[in-house]
Structure formats: structure tokens, C-alpha cells
Amino acid sequence: MRAYIEDIAGHDGQQVTIQGWLHNRRSSGKIHFLILRDGSGFIQAVMSKAAVGDEAFARAGHLSQETALSVTGTVRADARARGGYEIDVVALEVHAESHDYPITPKEHGVDYLLDRRHLWIRSERQVAILRIRHEIIDAVRDFFNGRGFVLCDTPIFTPAACEGTSTLFPVPYFDDATAYLTQSGQLYNEANAMALGRVYAFGPTFRAEKSKTRRHLTEFWMVEPEMAYADLHDVIDLAEGLIGAVVARVLDRRRKELAVLERDVTRLERVTPPFPRITYDEAAALLQEKGLPFQYGTDLGGTDETVLSEHFDRPVCVTHYPASVKAFYMKPDPGQPDKALCVDILAPEGYGEIVGGGQRLDDLDLLLQRITEHGLPQEAFEWYLDLRRYGSVPHGGFGMGIERCVAWICGLEHVRETIPYPRMLYRMYP
RNA sequence: UCCUCAGUAGCUCAAUGGCAGAGCAUCCGGCUGUUAACCGGAGGGUUGUAGGUUCGAGUCCUACCUGAGGAGCCA
């Protein structure tokens, strides 16, 4: 009977066939220990010379790392085994050999591993990370789908460097036209929300910034919800609920993977709403109190984010940034027009910004004024301005970066391990 | 674009300016409970590239290349 390693506990005492690859092998004269992996897990198969005969035993002694094989044997609970079960081998079939597999069970450098990312993802640690990534994405979808949000994706090709701030990737688009890879579905999301009420987009995002830090990729995934008839508090409540639900889901279903990563789960167990909410002014005071060379009125830098997020034991919501450091479409606070109704959520343990969003500017005249102030071409935004001409309502939303979220929940040093094939400033292979 | 660090065997790393080394991987042999198994043996080198200093350079100097971390930048 074919069985997957993740289901092995349900086959105790039965004879099963595992189809997979040889992860590692140890040998002790008349007994081989074969560590198998099949994508769903890892398990130790025990092959004794007495059980399979001299010839088959000798052959198994030469199997190399990542040989594709099927192993048939009896499942047996064993306290000595990691995972609690082993397989006593009665037969072994090799499907394809593997010679000189480059990733040995010893240490390797980052550059070496990234050049072999297509093989690196076979390792136990990388499999754990990618399964947690899957769980996070699944939890995000369930969260929105269960709250009446409609998945409504936004285009990857966009017509112009719309917001005039971040650097975009240009792409030839027939004849003499140039398209740009999206840096955010934000503007289209607002149109979608006016059509469907509550929507979310979930797709890749591209930034051509020459950023070379542990928090940056040139291609990353972002989930962006947007709600009609919503204010800043609704946006913060939603983001808080999402983060709480995602962390709870991973803690509930991916304990094993977190253990592989040696993640301190007590730090994650504390991540329950409500999260602390502070204003930009309060954050600035806190930073100055801690003696950081922070200049009031500017955006928070990487160090500032790290210090702030380490000050709290759960994600912290920072609101009301100066309007001047935020995008043109942010709605100013009626009580203090120089501040924007925006929120950034900083993950704890120094992981920095994972969410950015706020309430959108819904007044036509003020939006026109902002477009002018930012030196943006009004004609490119006519469709966006239409949203204010035909039944404008208070609305808002946010974007959450999946890779930063995965890095935080997994406790990783760098976002490059959070996506199967990271795209970075100087790396596009494999 | 700038700053810092690194580049030596397939991999991870040693080597005071004085014979190019170890562990792992590979191959051969040993071991019936191993957990990155262990023990013994063998093969494996244009020290990133190009110059320079020196009796002598992996080591010091210059330039370049490649990578890493950070800054700037990044709603």
C-alpha cells in the first residue's frame, strides 16, 4: 500500500511502500539506516542484512544522497526514532540514481546554497519554511473569504509610473509602449471595493529599488484588502485580526515545522489582539527618549523600526504619520491636517514593517490638489478620480508583505529563505 | 552610488612573509541501533583576476571581479 510519511502514524504495524528520495544514510556493518524523504516528511528506514539478503544489503550500502527510490516495509513505532516511527525494510527499488549531490549534510555558505536553490529546497529546514509559507497564505485566504471579502486581483502590467515614488521595472509592451510591473494593486483595489464592497488582491509585487538588506526582495507577494465605508479604525481592526488569525493558525497546524526551525513559540503565543497602538508623535518621543538620532517629521528608518518593534512584545500599530512622508492618496486627519490617517504595523523581535495602509482620500478637490502637489500627470489618474466623482465614500485598506511575515513567524535572519526562488538585486538564478 | 567584511581542495575553513593543511563529501575497508553516526586508508590545489614590493607572497601594496552585511533608497 502506498503511504505518505506524514500519514505514517495511521499505518502502524502495516506494510507500506514509501516513494521518495534518499536523504541520508548511515551504516553499521549488518544494518543500514536510510533516511527517506517524500516531500511530506522524513522517516528512518531500517534495513538488516538478515531481512533482505547479502546482495540487496550490499547494494543498499552504495546508495547515494537523493537517489529516487521506493521502500517497502513494516511501520513500527519506536521511541528512538525522530517522529516516533520507523520502517523495517523488506524491499527496496531504485528508480533513478543520484551522483555527487552538491548539498551534503554539512555546512554550506549562503552564496553556494542560493546558486543551488532548486536543490536547497529539498532540505528539511527549507521544506519546513515553505510549508509554513503555505499555511500563512492559506490562513490569509480563509480569513478574508470567511468575512465576506471577494478575491479581485489587480493587474501586473501597469500603464505608467503612477505614484512617482518608488522605482519600477519597465517592460517593453508592443510597438513603442512601455509597461511597468506593479508595485501595488492599491489604486485598482479602491475601484474594486466600490464595485464589490470588500475585496482583496493577492499577487506578486515588484520594486526596482537597489535595496540590499535582509528585508528586501525585488519580487515579493503582497495581500491587499480594501473596504468601502471604512475608516482608519476599521482598517487597523482588520489588520490586527488578520495577523492574530495567521499566527494562531500556524501555531495550531505547523508546530512540527516551527520545531524544525527551532522557533521560540512563546514569542508567537503572545501575539494576540489587541496590539498596542501609538501615534507617530508618540513613536518619535519614544525614539528620542531612547537616544536615537531620529529627526521629527521624517519617515522611520530601518533602525527606528527595529528599536520600536523590540520595545513591544507583540506587533505595534503606528498611526498618524506626517502627511508629507506618505502617498498622495492618504486622507489627512480632519483634526490635524498635517497628519495622515495611516497605519504601519511593525512585527516584534526587530522584524519591522509588515503592514502599511490607511484611510484613502475620498474628496475630489483635495485629491486633485495632491496630485498637482506631487507633480503627477492628472490625465493618468482620470479613472481613479472617477471613483470620487461617482459616489465617493470613506474607504481604506492595507497591504501585508507575505515574505516579511513568513520571516518573522519562522524567526529567519533574511527574507530570501521565505520564497522558493528569491529575486534580489544581484541574483536571478536559478 | 557609498561604507565594512570575505574570496585557499567539490563544501566549510586553517596556515607569524619561509614545505599547501584539517574536517566533511567521493572511493576502498571495518562495525547489528545509528541520529550531521563512528574507526582506518586513498585520491583530490593555477590560494578570485592582473600587476607590484621582497631572496622568498595564500599572507604586504594597487586596481579590478564576485559575493555577503549595512547605508542611502524603498507608501
Side-chain angles (χ1 to χ4, degrees):
Chain A
M1 185 193 344
R2 167 84 189 271
Y4 287 97
I5 294 171
E6 65 183 344
D7 302 326
I8 210 70
H11 295 285
D12 193 12
Q14 298 172 1
Q15 180 165 304
V16 300
T17 298
I18 301 288
Q19 297 185 303
W21 294 263
L22 183 66
H23 182 66
N24 196 8
R25 173 173 55 82
R26 289 181 284 270
S27 190
S28 186
K30 298 193 178 71
I31 185 165
H32 293 311
F33 298 99
L34 309 172
I35 312 300
L36 311 178
R37 60 170 195 88
D38 72 348
S40 79
F42 294 76
I43 194 166
Q44 176 160 280
V46 182
M47 179 190 267
S48 70
K49 193 185 256 185
V52 298
D54 288 3
E55 195 193 332
F57 186 83
R59 246 193 340 263
H62 290 85
L63 293 172
S64 58
Q65 223 187 322
E66 291 303 318
T67 297
L69 42 70
S70 294
V71 167
T72 301
T74 307
V75 179
R76 173 175 45 77
D78 192 313
R80 290 170 295 189
R82 255 183 58 198
Y85 293 89
E86 289 185 337
I87 292 181
D88 288 322
V89 180
V90 296
L92 185 153
E93 184 190 354
V94 171
H95 302 303
E97 296 182 348
S98 164
H99 294 295
D100 297 322
Y101 186 68
I103 303 178
T104 62
K106 293 288 173 181
E107 280 176 28
H108 299 283
V110 166
D111 186 39
Y112 183 85
L113 290 170
L114 283 172
D115 281 341
R116 294 158 184 79
R117 182 62 177 166
H118 53 296
L119 302 176
W120 188 20
I121 54 175
R122 298 182 182 192
S123 72
E124 189 174 20
R125 189 181 155 79
Q126 298 306 312
V127 165
I129 293 168
L130 293 176
R131 282 184 170 263
I132 292 172
R133 177 191 172 92
H134 162 76
E135 197 66 55
I136 288 169
I137 291 171
D138 205 35
V140 164
R141 290 185 175 277
D142 283 351
F143 178 87
F144 289 118
N145 293 341
R147 280 169 177 74
F149 282 73
V150 176
L151 177 70
C152 193
D153 286 318
T154 54
I156 307 293
F157 287 136
T158 57
C162 278
E163 298 172 37
T165 46
S166 132
T167 314
L168 307 183
F169 286 106
V171 181
Y173 197 79
F174 304 119
D175 304 329
D176 295 329
T178 300
Y180 296 87
L181 298 182
T182 181
Q183 59 165 329
S184 164
Q186 168 55 42
L187 305 185
Y188 295 98
N189 256 340
E190 291 184 45
N192 294 345
M194 297 307 139
L196 294 151
R198 285 161 293 172
V199 298
Y200 69 104
F202 199 157
T205 303
F206 308 88
R207 306 257 168 114
E209 307 298 338
K210 293 200 168 181
S211 299
K212 195 169 152 47
T213 81
R214 68 187 64 206
R215 298 170 177 173
H216 288 89
L217 297 173
T218 55
E219 175 184 311
F220 62 97
W221 287 68
M222 190 153 67
V223 60
E224 298 177 284
E226 190 76 22
M227 300 177 284
Y229 289 104
D231 64 14
L232 178 63
H233 295 291
D234 297 323
V235 170
I236 300 174
D237 289 346
L238 184 74
E240 194 176 68
L242 173 66
I243 293 168
V246 165
V247 171
R249 171 79 162 263
V250 173
L251 284 170
D252 182 40
R253 300 195 189 174
R254 296 293 166 187
R255 289 270 173 178
K256 215 165 61 181
E257 284 79 4
L258 291 170
V260 167
L261 300 172
E262 298 178 307
R263 181 66 164 109
D264 178 2
V265 291
T266 62
R267 301 297 296 266
L268 295 176
E269 283 161 348
R270 268 180 245 152
V271 181
T272 51
F275 300 154
R277 300 181 185 191
I278 62 173
T279 63
Y280 172 89
D281 284 4
E282 289 164 346
L286 190 61
L287 290 171
Q288 275 157 1
E289 203 176 291
K290 286 178 179 286
L292 270 87
F294 175 72
Q295 202 181 347
Y296 184 85
T298 63
D299 204 354
L300 298 176
T303 313
D304 303 320
E305 286 188 2
T306 300
V307 169
L308 277 177
S309 67
E310 280 173 346
H311 184 75
F312 299 92
D313 65 351
R314 62 192 72 196
V316 55
C317 309
V318 183
T319 64
H320 299 86
Y321 282 65
S324 58
V325 304
K326 288 294 179 183
F328 72 94
Y329 53 72
M330 290 290 189
K331 185 179 175 77
D333 186 344
Q336 39 175 355
D338 58 325
K339 295 288 175 20
L341 291 173
C342 65
V343 59
D344 280 3
I345 301 184
L346 311 179
E349 300 172 70
Y351 280 94
E353 183 185 343
I354 53 171
V355 161
Q359 191 173 338
R360 319 305 186 186
L361 186 42
D362 48 15
D363 181 80
L364 178 63
D365 293 335
L366 192 50
L367 185 55
L368 278 165
Q369 187 187 322
R370 284 291 152 84
I371 286 173
T372 306
E373 283 168 9
H374 282 75
L376 300 169
Q378 187 185 320
E379 60 276 16
F381 293 95
E382 285 302 334
W383 69 267
Y384 185 66
L385 291 162
D386 275 352
L387 306 178
R388 279 73 183 170
R389 292 184 179 114
Y390 305 112
S392 188
V393 301
H395 65 288
F398 64 86
M400 182 173 85
I402 293 299
E403 285 73 18
R404 285 185 181 180
C405 196
V406 175
W408 162 49
I409 290 175
C410 290
L412 307 180
E413 280 296 307
H414 199 298
V415 292
R416 64 187 162 214
E417 289 181 69
T418 64
I419 187 167
Y421 301 95
R423 291 293 174 253
M424 291 177 289
L425 183 49
Y426 297 119
R427 186 175 292 280
M428 222 172 51
Y429 179 91

